Amino acid sequence: MSKIIIAILMFLFLILIHEFGHFIIAKLSGIKVNEFSVGMGPKLLSKQKGETQYSLRLIPIGGYCAMEGEDEESNDPRSYDNAKPSKRFLTILAGPLMNLILAVIIFFIIALNSGSPTNEIGRFAENSPAKEAGMQVGDRIVEVGLKEVNDFTDISKNLNDYYESHDSKEEIPIKVIRDNKPIDFNLIAEDKDGSKFLGVESKLKPRGVFAAIKSGFVETGRNIAMIFTVLGKLFTGEIAVSALSGPIGVVNEIGNQAANGLMSLLYFLSYISVNLAVFNLLPIPALDGSKLLTSLYEMVTKKKVNKKLEEKVTIGGFILLLGLILIISIKDIITLF
């Protein structure tokens, strides 16, 4: 039960960060915000402060920032639709941007606490080929497959490169430095999930603040690239839609990561935050991306988009998204039980 509560709170936090981005820029841009809600469904508590109502609602799976004239026509001069296209663009962009900023911050915290991998052996995995060959904790791996190793990621790369042109049962030459002396080993690497491995884990060295900041941006960028790779494979059919997870699957996985420790939970939280940002930036009706597109169109052409047509397209897109979420959620429930 505690895992479920943690998962729901984390998911709610990510949504609220997104909506807060819209909220704060709307306020700064002079756009009227009618309601800022934590949760969905029936209202539990509410407080009116100025022109905005702040609400707590029953279902803790989201929230929203309701701006005047965002989804309907309004004659209010401070409505979303009557704001300059540039202000609307920034207000909508702020939601996904907040998720990306959050991801960078969390990845920075992880990097600061987990350290930076080196090519020195910190410990061995179970049934490690390297340990069986005679390697020891503290050995620094400098060559794998006659190729130089500069950092820990080179080990896996060099292993797989070597076995692309050699038989999988052939020994691979590896050189380590122990007590400032080179030692040569020959061993057969094991297969794991389609890749070769030695069964070694890196000894981590402390990261400085600037290195951790860089890691925050690099890791966020890597996750963005990975998401677009997955989207590309969805369009080409390499990955089935059934492989996707909806809110139920995400909440369940957050609970699982919470059981694995704080760093695992934070990493997955960052990953989901990047997903929310990228997904919302897609130019699909009912998502932020479509509103960014219409605002950009008006900024360039100086022409207003037909509001009634936009409303119909948005409603259609919303129904399709709800249908997709429902189908994926049913799949998630079946998978759980």
Coordinates of all heavy atoms in Angstrom, one line a residue, residues 227-260:
I227 N 13.5 8.6 -26.4 CA 12.0 8.6 -26.6 C 11.7 8.8 -28.1 O 10.8 8.1 -28.6 CB 11.4 9.8 -25.8 CG1 11.5 9.5 -24.3 CG2 9.9 10.0 -26.2 CD1 11.3 10.6 -23.4
F228 N 12.4 9.6 -28.8 CA 12.2 9.8 -30.2 C 12.5 8.5 -31.0 O 11.9 8.2 -32.0 CB 12.9 11.0 -30.7 CG 12.2 12.3 -30.5 CD1 12.7 13.2 -29.6 CD2 11.1 12.6 -31.2 CE1 12.1 14.4 -29.3 CE2 10.4 13.8 -31.0 CZ 10.9 14.7 -30.1
T229 N 13.5 7.8 -30.5 CA 13.9 6.5 -31.1 C 12.7 5.5 -31.0 O 12.4 4.9 -32.0 CB 15.2 5.9 -30.5 OG1 16.2 6.8 -30.7 CG2 15.5 4.6 -31.1
V230 N 12.2 5.5 -29.8 CA 11.0 4.6 -29.6 C 9.8 5.0 -30.4 O 9.1 4.2 -31.0 CB 10.6 4.6 -28.1 CG1 9.3 3.9 -27.8 CG2 11.7 4.0 -27.2
L231 N 9.6 6.3 -30.5 CA 8.4 6.8 -31.3 C 8.6 6.4 -32.8 O 7.7 6.0 -33.5 CB 8.3 8.3 -31.2 CG 7.8 8.9 -29.9 CD1 7.9 10.4 -29.8 CD2 6.3 8.5 -29.7
G232 N 9.9 6.6 -33.3 CA 10.2 6.2 -34.6 C 9.9 4.7 -34.9 O 9.4 4.3 -35.9
K233 N 10.3 3.9 -33.9 CA 10.0 2.4 -34.0 C 8.5 2.1 -33.9 O 8.1 1.1 -34.5 CB 10.8 1.7 -33.0 CG 12.3 1.7 -33.2 CD 13.1 0.9 -32.1 CE 14.6 0.9 -32.4 NZ 15.3 0.1 -31.5
L234 N 7.8 2.9 -33.2 CA 6.3 2.7 -33.2 C 5.7 3.0 -34.6 O 4.8 2.2 -35.0 CB 5.7 3.7 -32.2 CG 5.7 3.3 -30.7 CD1 5.2 4.4 -29.8 CD2 4.8 2.0 -30.5
F235 N 6.2 4.0 -35.2 CA 5.6 4.3 -36.6 C 6.0 3.3 -37.6 O 5.3 3.0 -38.5 CB 6.1 5.7 -37.0 CG 5.4 6.9 -36.4 CD1 6.0 7.7 -35.4 CD2 4.0 7.1 -36.7 CE1 5.3 8.8 -34.9 CE2 3.3 8.1 -36.1 CZ 3.9 9.0 -35.2
T236 N 7.2 2.7 -37.4 CA 7.7 1.7 -38.4 C 7.2 0.3 -38.1 O 7.4 -0.6 -38.9 CB 9.2 1.7 -38.5 OG1 9.8 1.4 -37.2 CG2 9.7 3.1 -39.0
G237 N 6.6 0.2 -36.9 CA 6.0 -1.1 -36.5 C 7.0 -2.0 -35.8 O 6.7 -3.2 -35.5
E238 N 8.3 -1.5 -35.6 CA 9.3 -2.3 -34.9 C 8.9 -2.6 -33.4 O 9.3 -3.6 -32.8 CB 10.6 -1.6 -34.9 CG 11.3 -1.6 -36.3 CD 12.6 -0.9 -36.3 OE1 13.5 -1.4 -35.6 OE2 12.8 0.1 -37.0
I239 N 8.1 -1.6 -32.9 CA 7.6 -1.8 -31.5 C 6.1 -1.7 -31.6 O 5.5 -0.8 -32.2 CB 8.1 -0.7 -30.6 CG1 9.6 -0.8 -30.4 CG2 7.4 -0.8 -29.2 CD1 10.2 0.3 -29.6
A240 N 5.4 -2.6 -31.0 CA 3.9 -2.6 -31.0 C 3.4 -1.6 -30.0 O 4.0 -1.3 -28.9 CB 3.4 -4.0 -30.6
V241 N 2.2 -1.0 -30.2 CA 1.5 -0.1 -29.3 C 1.3 -0.8 -28.0 O 1.3 -0.1 -26.9 CB 0.2 0.4 -29.9 CG1 -0.5 1.3 -28.9 CG2 0.4 1.2 -31.2
S242 N 1.1 -2.1 -28.0 CA 0.8 -2.8 -26.7 C 2.0 -2.7 -25.8 O 1.9 -3.0 -24.6 CB 0.5 -4.3 -27.0 OG 1.6 -4.9 -27.7
A243 N 3.2 -2.3 -26.3 CA 4.4 -2.2 -25.4 C 4.4 -1.0 -24.6 O 5.1 -0.8 -23.6 CB 5.6 -2.3 -26.3
L244 N 3.5 0.0 -24.9 CA 3.4 1.2 -24.2 C 2.7 1.0 -22.8 O 1.9 0.1 -22.6 CB 2.6 2.3 -25.0 CG 3.2 2.7 -26.3 CD1 2.3 3.6 -27.0 CD2 4.6 3.3 -26.2
S245 N 2.9 1.9 -21.9 CA 2.3 1.9 -20.6 C 1.5 3.2 -20.4 O 1.9 4.3 -20.8 CB 3.3 1.7 -19.4 OG 3.8 0.4 -19.4
G246 N 0.3 3.1 -19.8 CA -0.5 4.2 -19.4 C -0.3 4.6 -18.0 O 0.7 4.2 -17.3
P247 N -1.2 5.5 -17.4 CA -1.0 6.0 -16.1 C -0.9 4.8 -15.0 O -0.1 4.9 -14.1 CB -2.3 6.8 -15.8 CG -2.7 7.3 -17.2 CD -2.3 6.2 -18.1
I248 N -1.7 3.8 -15.2 CA -1.7 2.7 -14.3 C -0.4 2.0 -14.3 O 0.2 1.7 -13.2 CB -2.8 1.7 -14.6 CG1 -4.2 2.3 -14.3 CG2 -2.7 0.4 -13.7 CD1 -5.4 1.5 -14.7
G249 N 0.2 1.7 -15.5 CA 1.5 1.0 -15.6 C 2.6 1.9 -15.1 O 3.5 1.4 -14.4
V250 N 2.5 3.2 -15.3 CA 3.5 4.1 -14.8 C 3.5 4.2 -13.3 O 4.6 4.1 -12.6 CB 3.3 5.6 -15.4 CG1 4.2 6.6 -14.7 CG2 3.6 5.6 -16.9
V251 N 2.3 4.3 -12.7 CA 2.2 4.3 -11.2 C 2.7 3.1 -10.6 O 3.4 3.1 -9.6 CB 0.7 4.6 -10.8 CG1 0.5 4.3 -9.3 CG2 0.3 6.0 -11.1
N252 N 2.4 1.9 -11.2 CA 2.9 0.6 -10.8 C 4.4 0.6 -10.8 O 5.1 0.1 -9.9 CB 2.3 -0.5 -11.6 CG 2.8 -1.9 -11.2 OD1 2.6 -2.3 -10.0 ND2 3.5 -2.5 -12.1
E253 N 5.0 1.1 -11.9 CA 6.5 1.0 -12.0 C 7.2 2.0 -11.1 O 8.2 1.7 -10.6 CB 6.9 1.3 -13.5 CG 8.4 1.1 -13.8 CD 8.9 -0.3 -13.5 OE1 8.1 -1.2 -13.6 OE2 10.0 -0.4 -13.1
I254 N 6.5 3.1 -10.8 CA 7.1 4.1 -9.8 C 7.1 3.4 -8.5 O 8.1 3.5 -7.7 CB 6.2 5.4 -9.7 CG1 6.4 6.2 -11.0 CG2 6.7 6.2 -8.5 CD1 5.5 7.4 -11.0
G255 N 6.1 2.6 -8.1 CA 6.1 1.9 -6.9 C 7.2 0.8 -6.8 O 7.8 0.7 -5.8
N256 N 7.4 0.1 -8.0 CA 8.5 -0.8 -8.0 C 9.9 -0.2 -7.8 O 10.7 -0.7 -7.1 CB 8.5 -1.6 -9.4 CG 7.3 -2.5 -9.5 OD1 6.7 -2.9 -8.5 ND2 6.9 -2.7 -10.8
Q257 N 10.1 1.0 -8.5 CA 11.4 1.7 -8.3 C 11.6 2.2 -6.9 O 12.7 2.3 -6.4 CB 11.4 2.8 -9.4 CG 11.5 2.4 -10.8 CD 12.6 1.4 -11.1 OE1 13.7 1.6 -10.6 NE2 12.4 0.5 -12.0
A258 N 10.5 2.6 -6.3 CA 10.6 3.1 -4.9 C 11.1 2.0 -4.0 O 11.9 2.2 -3.0 CB 9.2 3.5 -4.4
A259 N 10.8 0.7 -4.3 CA 11.2 -0.4 -3.5 C 12.7 -0.7 -3.8 O 13.4 -1.3 -2.9 CB 10.4 -1.7 -3.8
N260 N 13.3 -0.2 -4.9 CA 14.7 -0.4 -5.2 C 15.6 0.6 -4.6 O 16.8 0.6 -4.8 CB 14.9 -0.4 -6.7 CG 14.2 -1.6 -7.4 OD1 14.1 -2.7 -6.7 ND2 13.8 -1.5 -8.6

